[in-house]
Amino acid sequence: MRIDILTLFPEMFESPLNYSILKRAQEQGLVAIAVTNIRDFAADRYRKVDDKPYGGGPGMVMMPGPVFDCFEHVAKLAPPEGLCRGRPALEARAGCPRHGRVILLTPQGTPFNQSKARELAQEDRLILIAGRYEGFDERIRVGLNAEQISIGDYILNGGELAAMVIVDAVVRLLPGALGDEDSAKSDSFSVGANDDLPLLEYPHYTRPEVFRGLKVPDILLSGDHAKIAQWRREQSLERTRQWRPDLLERGDREKGG
Ligand code: SAM
């Protein structure tokens, strides 16, 4: 997979992209992540990328010119060779398509969730565009025919953190990104093995066996894997019922229940 991020603050990505799973996934060639500065595509010598809104009002708006020029430059960059390796559906095509999915980060977009992360992880190319100021000139959304994604009903100062959230959630789903593939399958919001409900994950315990008077449940020390699996399933259901009943209702609705 290739992910391009278009931003006015490329330095913000240096640290998050260079640790742990994201770093390893790039080193293993599972994903190539490129960050491009929209300001490099400003037309004037002041490197201006924003201007006052027509009709008046507070703040500044991102101008369409630099974003379009930056996008057109990035879209032409072919995914590096080998990125489709190990992904037969993509290998079968004549080559990875150049554009992939074009996503504007905006609080007005479709809310991001695990199912959207799974959907995006199937793509071979994503182009994420981070906004700033009051947001994008509307012609950017229309002209690029971009889909819009929000990471929640609150306002961030810019789309960079939202882009990082999406990259992080998507990359951990790429085959080979996690040490143990099963770990993503049992994560919260992933579809349960038995009944297709997206549950919260069961509770975890590690050493010591007793910590400040709190003991690890006996069942986890029993060595009986069938009983442990059943206990975990019950715990998942119980905490989902208690803390996120909306997930169960949504699951039922999606199954037509
Ligand atoms: N005036 C805009 C509005 O009310 O819809 C908000 C602009 S916000 C201050 C600046 C930029 O931050 C946005 O263009 C977007 O890229 C990003 N942003 C803010 N909140 C976001 C969210 N919840 N999800 C995704 N991106 C967000």
Side-chain angles (χ1 to χ4, degrees), residues 105-108 130-136 149-152 154-159 162:
L105 283 321
T106 155
Q108 303 184 13
R132 278 274 155 178
Y133 317 120
E134 285 302 322
F136 302 103
I149 294 185
S150 159
I151 62 158
Y154 40 78
I155 303 296
L156 301 166
N157 293 316

Side-chain angles (χ1 to χ4, degrees), residues 189 219 250:
F189 314 115
I219 184 85
R250 198 191 311 161

